[in-house]
Amino acid sequence: MSILYTDIRPMIKPSGKKVISEQFEESLAQSDKLEIAVGYVSVKGLQKVDELVEKYNIKDVKLICGMYSVDGIPSSIRNEIIRLHKKWQASGIGDLYIVRSMEYHGKLYIFWKDGKPFLSILGSANLGALDPTSRTSRQYELSKTTEDIAENQELSVFITNLLEKCCITVEKIDEIKTVHERNDLLTNIEDVSELTESSVQHFNEKENDISFHIPIKAPKYANRFSTDRKDFASSNINVCYGNGRKGKNGKVTPRNWFETQITVSVDITREPDYPKDKPFFLVTDDGYMFEAHTTAQNNKQLTAYGNDRIFGRWIKGRLVASGLLKPFDNKDGDPDRLGMVTEEMLKQSHMTTLELHKTNEKRLGKVFKRNEKNRLDKKNWTEEPLDVWTIHFCD
């Protein structure tokens, strides 16, 4: 047996001793099979395991996530679990599982060679200890190893029982509630109000019978470089990847990555209750409130009022929080178009359609005057009662 430490001042590890991540990699380098059963995982921890499994050519992996059956699983972790499970399944090396029938809080790592477990790590370390985030960099964990043959065999039997009696495979992950992480890209943004959960519920209860379902047009991942209009690579949700704005001097200015609009079909815009003419408030399902409007020919563009980056911060911010989308300043910094919203990520996040639902509520809001070019004059406005709509995503 040996004790494994965390190296955090002032509790630096004793001389000659190992930290948990060192022991994990050293043991994995001697292994051909790996079993892990922890309470919590992290995106970086999952990615680290994947990196090391590939580095040491491990051919048999089982990873159990134990603490998500009651409170749910964060969307970013859910998406990474699905990605990793598909990768390991495709290469035939392993599976990921989720404890369903209880909350499992143990932390256990078992290393195998030639059909026998030769070492286990037990202690307080969840998967995040392998690659700490900024939030957990000061979190101290303590573990120990055991090389006792009987103990390792007993622990391997425990893993088998846990799998057979308590776990579901990732194919059934929809049985576990998804928890959407807070979209921090809208925090402290001018003209955006943050609402309490009870306030959001209040507006939901005031919904009437007027609603619209608006599909979001985005390219498939394989078509993200396409110039064919029907592939939507330059659709208004990804408007920054299209042409920039051309000024009077002929200079083209790239559009900001957050600039976002949703194109609405003419079948919807012709409906008598579709919002036109005046701006209106949107209350999002994740607790934000801001003004929006419909604009352009036939009111076909739905976006935030006075600042179309707000809409992008809401939609793209959710995808960033879920770990599916990488933010960029503009398209010039994204040659591989990893910051482009795709059809696949919208489906994975259950964000393929926006549901806009009118309420019986009104709130006072700004209505800007128009200048001679029919553009919003941000210096001249009146305060008027505006309709309130709720908005959320659905499949």
Side-chain angles (χ1 to χ4, degrees), residues 214-237:
I214 304 170
I216 299 178
K217 298 175 182 178
K220 294 182 182 296
Y221 179 81
N223 295 334
R224 66 193 190 282
F225 292 98
S226 175
T227 58
D228 193 325
R229 290 177 61 87
K230 67 179 177 59
D231 289 329
F232 305 123
S234 297
S235 64
N236 279 5
I237 197 171

PDB file of all heavy atoms in Angstrom, residues 214-237:
ATOM      1  N   ILE A 214     -40.521  27.725 -34.634  1.00  0.00           N
ATOM      2  CA  ILE A 214     -39.634  28.249 -35.672  1.00  0.00           C
ATOM      3  C   ILE A 214     -38.400  27.358 -35.786  1.00  0.00           C
ATOM      4  O   ILE A 214     -37.524  27.370 -34.898  1.00  0.00           O
ATOM      5  CB  ILE A 214     -39.206  29.698 -35.332  1.00  0.00           C
ATOM      6  CG1 ILE A 214     -40.451  30.572 -35.133  1.00  0.00           C
ATOM      7  CG2 ILE A 214     -38.299  30.256 -36.420  1.00  0.00           C
ATOM      8  CD1 ILE A 214     -40.148  31.952 -34.569  1.00  0.00           C
ATOM      9  N   PRO A 215     -38.292  26.558 -36.857  1.00  0.00           N
ATOM     10  CA  PRO A 215     -37.091  25.721 -37.042  1.00  0.00           C
ATOM     11  C   PRO A 215     -35.850  26.589 -37.256  1.00  0.00           C
ATOM     12  O   PRO A 215     -35.915  27.643 -37.886  1.00  0.00           O
ATOM     13  CB  PRO A 215     -37.417  24.911 -38.303  1.00  0.00           C
ATOM     14  CG  PRO A 215     -38.906  25.005 -38.468  1.00  0.00           C
ATOM     15  CD  PRO A 215     -39.283  26.348 -37.916  1.00  0.00           C
ATOM     16  N   ILE A 216     -34.720  26.150 -36.730  1.00  0.00           N
ATOM     17  CA  ILE A 216     -33.454  26.854 -36.902  1.00  0.00           C
ATOM     18  C   ILE A 216     -32.686  26.214 -38.058  1.00  0.00           C
ATOM     19  O   ILE A 216     -32.457  24.998 -38.062  1.00  0.00           O
ATOM     20  CB  ILE A 216     -32.613  26.811 -35.613  1.00  0.00           C
ATOM     21  CG1 ILE A 216     -33.373  27.499 -34.474  1.00  0.00           C
ATOM     22  CG2 ILE A 216     -31.259  27.485 -35.832  1.00  0.00           C
ATOM     23  CD1 ILE A 216     -32.640  27.453 -33.148  1.00  0.00           C
ATOM     24  N   LYS A 217     -32.306  27.020 -39.017  1.00  0.00           N
ATOM     25  CA  LYS A 217     -31.583  26.520 -40.190  1.00  0.00           C
ATOM     26  C   LYS A 217     -30.086  26.599 -39.940  1.00  0.00           C
ATOM     27  O   LYS A 217     -29.538  27.663 -39.678  1.00  0.00           O
ATOM     28  CB  LYS A 217     -31.962  27.341 -41.421  1.00  0.00           C
ATOM     29  CG  LYS A 217     -33.441  27.254 -41.781  1.00  0.00           C
ATOM     30  CD  LYS A 217     -33.788  28.170 -42.937  1.00  0.00           C
ATOM     31  CE  LYS A 217     -35.281  28.101 -43.257  1.00  0.00           C
ATOM     32  NZ  LYS A 217     -35.658  29.024 -44.349  1.00  0.00           N
ATOM     33  N   ALA A 218     -29.429  25.447 -40.013  1.00  0.00           N
ATOM     34  CA  ALA A 218     -27.985  25.371 -39.801  1.00  0.00           C
ATOM     35  C   ALA A 218     -27.421  24.276 -40.694  1.00  0.00           C
ATOM     36  O   ALA A 218     -28.119  23.315 -41.040  1.00  0.00           O
ATOM     37  CB  ALA A 218     -27.668  25.086 -38.336  1.00  0.00           C
ATOM     38  N   PRO A 219     -26.146  24.381 -41.064  1.00  0.00           N
ATOM     39  CA  PRO A 219     -25.558  23.365 -41.964  1.00  0.00           C
ATOM     40  C   PRO A 219     -25.210  22.086 -41.224  1.00  0.00           C
ATOM     41  O   PRO A 219     -24.991  22.086 -40.009  1.00  0.00           O
ATOM     42  CB  PRO A 219     -24.281  24.064 -42.449  1.00  0.00           C
ATOM     43  CG  PRO A 219     -23.889  24.925 -41.291  1.00  0.00           C
ATOM     44  CD  PRO A 219     -25.187  25.437 -40.713  1.00  0.00           C
ATOM     45  N   LYS A 220     -25.150  20.998 -41.959  1.00  0.00           N
ATOM     46  CA  LYS A 220     -24.542  19.795 -41.417  1.00  0.00           C
ATOM     47  C   LYS A 220     -23.049  20.060 -41.244  1.00  0.00           C
ATOM     48  O   LYS A 220     -22.462  20.887 -41.945  1.00  0.00           O
ATOM     49  CB  LYS A 220     -24.761  18.607 -42.360  1.00  0.00           C
ATOM     50  CG  LYS A 220     -26.221  18.178 -42.515  1.00  0.00           C
ATOM     51  CD  LYS A 220     -26.326  16.971 -43.414  1.00  0.00           C
ATOM     52  CE  LYS A 220     -27.788  16.560 -43.616  1.00  0.00           C
ATOM     53  NZ  LYS A 220     -28.414  16.125 -42.343  1.00  0.00           N
ATOM     54  N   TYR A 221     -22.436  19.343 -40.330  1.00  0.00           N
ATOM     55  CA  TYR A 221     -21.008  19.552 -40.072  1.00  0.00           C
ATOM     56  C   TYR A 221     -20.185  19.393 -41.347  1.00  0.00           C
ATOM     57  O   TYR A 221     -19.275  20.186 -41.613  1.00  0.00           O
ATOM     58  CB  TYR A 221     -20.534  18.558 -39.010  1.00  0.00           C
ATOM     59  CG  TYR A 221     -19.061  18.677 -38.677  1.00  0.00           C
ATOM     60  CD1 TYR A 221     -18.606  19.656 -37.807  1.00  0.00           C
ATOM     61  CD2 TYR A 221     -18.127  17.802 -39.237  1.00  0.00           C
ATOM     62  CE1 TYR A 221     -17.265  19.776 -37.496  1.00  0.00           C
ATOM     63  CE2 TYR A 221     -16.777  17.914 -38.938  1.00  0.00           C
ATOM     64  CZ  TYR A 221     -16.349  18.895 -38.062  1.00  0.00           C
ATOM     65  OH  TYR A 221     -15.008  19.008 -37.769  1.00  0.00           O
ATOM     66  N   ALA A 222     -20.528  18.409 -42.155  1.00  0.00           N
ATOM     67  CA  ALA A 222     -19.765  18.146 -43.383  1.00  0.00           C
ATOM     68  C   ALA A 222     -19.917  19.267 -44.404  1.00  0.00           C
ATOM     69  O   ALA A 222     -19.086  19.389 -45.317  1.00  0.00           O
ATOM     70  CB  ALA A 222     -20.198  16.812 -43.992  1.00  0.00           C
ATOM     71  N   ASN A 223     -20.964  20.087 -44.261  1.00  0.00           N
ATOM     72  CA  ASN A 223     -21.235  21.150 -45.243  1.00  0.00           C
ATOM     73  C   ASN A 223     -20.874  22.540 -44.725  1.00  0.00           C
ATOM     74  O   ASN A 223     -21.287  23.541 -45.301  1.00  0.00           O
ATOM     75  CB  ASN A 223     -22.721  21.130 -45.630  1.00  0.00           C
ATOM     76  CG  ASN A 223     -23.116  19.866 -46.349  1.00  0.00           C
ATOM     77  OD1 ASN A 223     -22.288  19.221 -46.989  1.00  0.00           O
ATOM     78  ND2 ASN A 223     -24.375  19.491 -46.240  1.00  0.00           N
ATOM     79  N   ARG A 224     -20.086  22.606 -43.671  1.00  0.00           N
ATOM     80  CA  ARG A 224     -19.851  23.915 -43.051  1.00  0.00           C
ATOM     81  C   ARG A 224     -19.012  24.855 -43.928  1.00  0.00           C
ATOM     82  O   ARG A 224     -18.986  26.060 -43.677  1.00  0.00           O
ATOM     83  CB  ARG A 224     -19.212  23.746 -41.674  1.00  0.00           C
ATOM     84  CG  ARG A 224     -17.814  23.164 -41.666  1.00  0.00           C
ATOM     85  CD  ARG A 224     -17.435  22.753 -40.241  1.00  0.00           C
ATOM     86  NE  ARG A 224     -16.027  22.392 -40.110  1.00  0.00           N
ATOM     87  CZ  ARG A 224     -15.526  21.234 -40.487  1.00  0.00           C
ATOM     88  NH1 ARG A 224     -16.317  20.307 -41.023  1.00  0.00           N
ATOM     89  NH2 ARG A 224     -14.234  20.980 -40.330  1.00  0.00           N
ATOM     90  N   PHE A 225     -18.340  24.320 -44.961  1.00  0.00           N
ATOM     91  CA  PHE A 225     -17.588  25.176 -45.887  1.00  0.00           C
ATOM     92  C   PHE A 225     -18.340  25.401 -47.209  1.00  0.00           C
ATOM     93  O   PHE A 225     -17.830  26.060 -48.102  1.00  0.00           O
ATOM     94  CB  PHE A 225     -16.220  24.561 -46.199  1.00  0.00           C
ATOM     95  CG  PHE A 225     -15.281  24.544 -45.027  1.00  0.00           C
ATOM     96  CD1 PHE A 225     -15.120  23.400 -44.254  1.00  0.00           C
ATOM     97  CD2 PHE A 225     -14.567  25.681 -44.675  1.00  0.00           C
ATOM     98  CE1 PHE A 225     -14.260  23.379 -43.170  1.00  0.00           C
ATOM     99  CE2 PHE A 225     -13.703  25.669 -43.586  1.00  0.00           C
ATOM    100  CZ  PHE A 225     -13.547  24.517 -42.839  1.00  0.00           C
ATOM    101  N   SER A 226     -19.540  24.853 -47.305  1.00  0.00           N
ATOM    102  CA  SER A 226     -20.287  24.929 -48.563  1.00  0.00           C
ATOM    103  C   SER A 226     -20.706  26.362 -48.885  1.00  0.00           C
ATOM    104  O   SER A 226     -21.010  27.160 -47.996  1.00  0.00           O
ATOM    105  CB  SER A 226     -21.528  24.039 -48.480  1.00  0.00           C
ATOM    106  OG  SER A 226     -22.336  24.187 -49.632  1.00  0.00           O
ATOM    107  N   THR A 227     -20.733  26.665 -50.187  1.00  0.00           N
ATOM    108  CA  THR A 227     -21.235  27.955 -50.653  1.00  0.00           C
ATOM    109  C   THR A 227     -22.627  27.831 -51.265  1.00  0.00           C
ATOM    110  O   THR A 227     -23.187  28.816 -51.742  1.00  0.00           O
ATOM    111  CB  THR A 227     -20.268  28.566 -51.685  1.00  0.00           C
ATOM    112  OG1 THR A 227     -20.107  27.646 -52.779  1.00  0.00           O
ATOM    113  CG2 THR A 227     -18.912  28.853 -51.056  1.00  0.00           C
ATOM    114  N   ASP A 228     -23.167  26.628 -51.252  1.00  0.00           N
ATOM    115  CA  ASP A 228     -24.514  26.388 -51.780  1.00  0.00           C
ATOM    116  C   ASP A 228     -25.541  26.875 -50.756  1.00  0.00           C
ATOM    117  O   ASP A 228     -25.521  26.462 -49.594  1.00  0.00           O
ATOM    118  CB  ASP A 228     -24.712  24.899 -52.052  1.00  0.00           C
ATOM    119  CG  ASP A 228     -25.951  24.607 -52.877  1.00  0.00           C
ATOM    120  OD1 ASP A 228     -26.956  25.334 -52.699  1.00  0.00           O
ATOM    121  OD2 ASP A 228     -25.929  23.670 -53.688  1.00  0.00           O
ATOM    122  N   ARG A 229     -26.438  27.757 -51.143  1.00  0.00           N
ATOM    123  CA  ARG A 229     -27.410  28.351 -50.214  1.00  0.00           C
ATOM    124  C   ARG A 229     -28.234  27.305 -49.484  1.00  0.00           C
ATOM    125  O   ARG A 229     -28.587  27.485 -48.313  1.00  0.00           O
ATOM    126  CB  ARG A 229     -28.338  29.310 -50.964  1.00  0.00           C
ATOM    127  CG  ARG A 229     -27.647  30.589 -51.432  1.00  0.00           C
ATOM    128  CD  ARG A 229     -28.625  31.460 -52.228  1.00  0.00           C
ATOM    129  NE  ARG A 229     -29.767  31.862 -51.439  1.00  0.00           N
ATOM    130  CZ  ARG A 229     -29.798  32.944 -50.672  1.00  0.00           C
ATOM    131  NH1 ARG A 229     -28.738  33.729 -50.585  1.00  0.00           N
ATOM    132  NH2 ARG A 229     -30.895  33.257 -50.006  1.00  0.00           N
ATOM    133  N   LYS A 230     -28.530  26.201 -50.153  1.00  0.00           N
ATOM    134  CA  LYS A 230     -29.398  25.200 -49.534  1.00  0.00           C
ATOM    135  C   LYS A 230     -28.704  24.452 -48.395  1.00  0.00           C
ATOM    136  O   LYS A 230     -29.352  23.755 -47.611  1.00  0.00           O
ATOM    137  CB  LYS A 230     -29.899  24.205 -50.572  1.00  0.00           C
ATOM    138  CG  LYS A 230     -28.843  23.299 -51.177  1.00  0.00           C
ATOM    139  CD  LYS A 230     -29.454  22.334 -52.174  1.00  0.00           C
ATOM    140  CE  LYS A 230     -28.410  21.462 -52.850  1.00  0.00           C
ATOM    141  NZ  LYS A 230     -27.627  20.642 -51.906  1.00  0.00           N
ATOM    142  N   ASP A 231     -27.382  24.609 -48.266  1.00  0.00           N
ATOM    143  CA  ASP A 231     -26.658  23.955 -47.179  1.00  0.00           C
ATOM    144  C   ASP A 231     -26.591  24.817 -45.917  1.00  0.00           C
ATOM    145  O   ASP A 231     -26.111  24.352 -44.872  1.00  0.00           O
ATOM    146  CB  ASP A 231     -25.233  23.602 -47.633  1.00  0.00           C
ATOM    147  CG  ASP A 231     -25.215  22.471 -48.647  1.00  0.00           C
ATOM    148  OD1 ASP A 231     -26.107  21.599 -48.572  1.00  0.00           O
ATOM    149  OD2 ASP A 231     -24.321  22.457 -49.516  1.00  0.00           O
ATOM    150  N   PHE A 232     -27.018  26.084 -45.999  1.00  0.00           N
ATOM    151  CA  PHE A 232     -27.167  26.982 -44.839  1.00  0.00           C
ATOM    152  C   PHE A 232     -25.859  27.309 -44.111  1.00  0.00           C
ATOM    153  O   PHE A 232     -25.880  27.692 -42.939  1.00  0.00           O
ATOM    154  CB  PHE A 232     -28.163  26.402 -43.822  1.00  0.00           C
ATOM    155  CG  PHE A 232     -29.496  26.071 -44.395  1.00  0.00           C
ATOM    156  CD1 PHE A 232     -30.009  24.786 -44.299  1.00  0.00           C
ATOM    157  CD2 PHE A 232     -30.253  27.037 -45.043  1.00  0.00           C
ATOM    158  CE1 PHE A 232     -31.245  24.473 -44.828  1.00  0.00           C
ATOM    159  CE2 PHE A 232     -31.495  26.732 -45.572  1.00  0.00           C
ATOM    160  CZ  PHE A 232     -31.987  25.446 -45.477  1.00  0.00           C
ATOM    161  N   ALA A 233     -24.704  27.170 -44.784  1.00  0.00           N
ATOM    162  CA  ALA A 233     -23.432  27.470 -44.116  1.00  0.00           C
ATOM    163  C   ALA A 233     -23.302  28.954 -43.781  1.00  0.00           C
ATOM    164  O   ALA A 233     -22.501  29.327 -42.921  1.00  0.00           O
ATOM    165  CB  ALA A 233     -22.255  27.011 -44.969  1.00  0.00           C
ATOM    166  N   SER A 234     -24.063  29.789 -44.463  1.00  0.00           N
ATOM    167  CA  SER A 234     -24.062  31.231 -44.162  1.00  0.00           C
ATOM    168  C   SER A 234     -25.428  31.690 -43.680  1.00  0.00           C
ATOM    169  O   SER A 234     -25.794  32.845 -43.845  1.00  0.00           O
ATOM    170  CB  SER A 234     -23.638  32.032 -45.407  1.00  0.00           C
ATOM    171  OG  SER A 234     -22.323  31.724 -45.789  1.00  0.00           O
ATOM    172  N   SER A 235     -26.190  30.762 -43.085  1.00  0.00           N
ATOM    173  CA  SER A 235     -27.503  31.136 -42.560  1.00  0.00           C
ATOM    174  C   SER A 235     -27.329  32.163 -41.455  1.00  0.00           C
ATOM    175  O   SER A 235     -26.235  32.344 -40.911  1.00  0.00           O
ATOM    176  CB  SER A 235     -28.228  29.895 -42.021  1.00  0.00           C
ATOM    177  OG  SER A 235     -27.525  29.346 -40.925  1.00  0.00           O
ATOM    178  N   ASN A 236     -28.405  32.831 -41.096  1.00  0.00           N
ATOM    179  CA  ASN A 236     -28.273  33.968 -40.190  1.00  0.00           C
ATOM    180  C   ASN A 236     -27.879  33.595 -38.770  1.00  0.00           C
ATOM    181  O   ASN A 236     -27.492  34.458 -37.992  1.00  0.00           O
ATOM    182  CB  ASN A 236     -29.568  34.789 -40.196  1.00  0.00           C
ATOM    183  CG  ASN A 236     -29.620  35.718 -41.403  1.00  0.00           C
ATOM    184  OD1 ASN A 236     -28.742  35.682 -42.266  1.00  0.00           O
ATOM    185  ND2 ASN A 236     -30.636  36.538 -41.466  1.00  0.00           N
ATOM    186  N   ILE A 237     -27.947  32.325 -38.429  1.00  0.00           N
ATOM    187  CA  ILE A 237     -27.415  31.932 -37.129  1.00  0.00           C
ATOM    188  C   ILE A 237     -25.890  31.897 -37.183  1.00  0.00           C
ATOM    189  O   ILE A 237     -25.199  31.979 -36.177  1.00  0.00           O
ATOM    190  CB  ILE A 237     -27.984  30.570 -36.671  1.00  0.00           C
ATOM    191  CG1 ILE A 237     -27.748  30.403 -35.163  1.00  0.00           C
ATOM    192  CG2 ILE A 237     -27.390  29.411 -37.455  1.00  0.00           C
ATOM    193  CD1 ILE A 237     -28.450  29.221 -34.565  1.00  0.00           C
TER     194      ILE A 237
END
